[in-house]
Amino acid sequence: MEVKSLRFVDLNLIQLEKVHGVEEAIARSRRFRPTLIFWRSIKPTLTVGYFQRVEEKLDLKKCYELGIKFVRRVSGGSIGPLDPDILSYSIILKEEKETMESIEEVYTTICSGIVLALRKIGLNAYLTRISDVEVDGKKVSGSAQARIWGKILQHGFIYLNLDLETFKNLLNKEKLKEKISSLDERVTWINRELLKLRRKPLTIEELKIYLKEGFEEALKVKLINGELTENEKRKAETYAKKFSTDEWNFKFEKPISFS
Amino acid sequence: MVEEFYFPDNLLYSRKHVWVKIENDEATIGLTSLGQSLAKGIVHVDLPLIGQNVKRNGTVASFETIKAVVKVTSPLTGKIAEVNEVLREKPEKINNDPYGEGWICKINPTKKDEFKKLLDVKKAARYFEKIIRKEKEKYGG
């Protein structure tokens, strides 16, 4: 996988539907530029893998009661929490025309950037299960990929801090009893691990610096600070609309209303 | 055969790893053996709706494999006539039997001049042989 140049855009705090609109606008742009985006969900939201059935995985009534919505993404994988304490990234690259570039190779290359960042922070991080990054046996980062619009879209999260109890509360307790009970053993976050090492907690801005360095090293490219073009911003608004609809978010089920 | 990948003589092919079988006014499509090999284990499939219009080079279906969602590109413009419902419960059929029970959908093509853009087995073999050789060079065999 060769990346010759990479635009870097920091969207900071943003609604999940809008980020997905931005991803699509960049990927479908006629003047496509490979881009890395950093972003954080402006409020607690659940991100749902494309093929997930929300009724099976979520306690939809609890989500409604707590005012936490979910948004289906175009990539695979399962369901996860997003909020302002979780740094997310999206990277959009051109797919080599003639081949379907190895999914694993792309995951390894990009996720190694996250591994490098966490090691620079002083954590014992490594890549596992193709797209998860763990620290001492617990997941601190996950990523998902889509091959779409002739592009490779990979996005993921890194837990700086994590409200695990609220997330567990939103899952379908009947169908996911074992998974929920094992989450405490399987998941961690950066500042929890730093606390164990008696190190001071990291801020989001500090994490961004490490992650940028990690991605530059992993992708062997210098990031070029940039902004979305006017065209990309306009298209992003249009593409974002579908991510707010029940038709999209309940794609494989009938929508449920609690109002 | 191209290396270890099978390409039946009686089919046509697109450059996006899709095979096409044209019978009467209907085109059945699926992933080639090379396509499913690149995809690895398919765990979910999203099929089009019957009656849906599709455009050549537009997305006709998508599937999930090792946590990546991959779009299947339609080789022809037309209307979806039938989908392989079995794939909803058994998506692995695309990997296990790509030219048989792993067919994805049937299209009633509306632009018959697009047939000329498909590759016959000889042209497909030459095209995919180059790709396979390139991949082997890249990954050292």
Side-chain angles (χ1 to χ4, degrees), chain B residues 19-70:
Chain B
W19 59 261
V20 185
K21 184 176 186 179
I22 299 174
E23 276 176 323
N24 305 316
D25 271 329
E26 210 167 62
T28 306
I29 71 165
L31 274 193
T32 64
S33 62
L34 174 58
Q36 68 77 25
S37 170
L38 289 169
K40 307 269 190 309
I42 293 171
V43 295
H44 295 289
V45 177
D46 188 14
L47 297 168
L49 297 170
I50 292 173
Q52 181 182 327
N53 290 318
V54 291
K55 281 187 184 169
R56 181 173 173 270
N57 290 333
T59 299
V60 67
S62 60
F63 57 84
E64 180 169 8
T65 166
I66 40 169
K67 290 177 65 183
V69 171
V70 181

Side-chain angles (χ1 to χ4, degrees), chain B residues 72-86:
Chain B
V72 179
T73 305
S74 181
L76 298 167
T77 302
K79 196 174 273 226
I80 302 295
E82 195 180 335
V83 299
N84 186 356
E85 294 285 348
V86 169

Side-chain angles (χ1 to χ4, degrees), chain A residues 235-250:
Chain A
K235 296 279 185 177
E237 271 188 42
T238 305
Y239 297 138
K241 287 176 185 165
K242 76 162 171 282
F243 293 101
S244 304
T245 64
D246 280 348
E247 189 189 349
W248 172 262
N249 287 317
F250 283 95

Side-chain angles (χ1 to χ4, degrees), chain B:
Chain B
M1 292 289 286
V2 179
E3 301 277 338
E4 63 268 38
F5 302 107
Y6 175 50
F7 289 86
D9 292 344
N10 62 328
L11 302 178
L12 298 170
Y13 301 90
S14 79
R15 287 175 174 79
K16 309 272 176 97
H17 304 290
V18 174
W19 59 261
V20 185
K21 184 176 186 179
I22 299 174
E23 276 176 323
N24 305 316
D25 271 329
E26 210 167 62
T28 306
I29 71 165
L31 274 193
T32 64
S33 62
L34 174 58
Q36 68 77 25
S37 170
L38 289 169
K40 307 269 190 309
I42 293 171
V43 295
H44 295 289
V45 177
D46 188 14
L47 297 168
L49 297 170
I50 292 173
Q52 181 182 327
N53 290 318
V54 291
K55 281 187 184 169
R56 181 173 173 270
N57 290 333
T59 299
V60 67
S62 60
F63 57 84
E64 180 169 8
T65 166
I66 40 169
K67 290 177 65 183
V69 171
V70 181
K71 302 291 179 180
V72 179
T73 305
S74 181
L76 298 167
T77 302
K79 196 174 273 226
I80 302 295
E82 195 180 335
V83 299
N84 186 356
E85 294 285 348
V86 169
L87 297 181
R88 292 193 203 279
E89 295 301 317
K90 297 185 179 178
E92 67 275 12
K93 293 250 180 219
I94 297 178
N95 294 117
N96 299 337
D97 190 10
Y99 300 112
E101 291 185 356
W103 66 275
I104 294 173
C105 64
K106 298 184 185 203
I107 302 173
N108 288 131
T110 51
K111 293 186 179 180
K112 307 240 165 117
D113 56 315
E114 288 176 345
F115 295 175
K116 288 185 286 202
K117 296 179 183 172
L118 298 171
L119 307 173
D120 63 25
V121 70
K122 278 191 183 150
K123 286 182 184 156
R126 273 200 302 271
Y127 179 78
F128 290 115
E129 195 170 29
K130 271 196 273 181
I131 288 176
I132 294 165
R133 213 179 311 126
K134 203 170 148 186
E135 286 294 287
K136 285 190 167 177
E137 275 166 19
K138 205 169 156 185
Y139 298 107

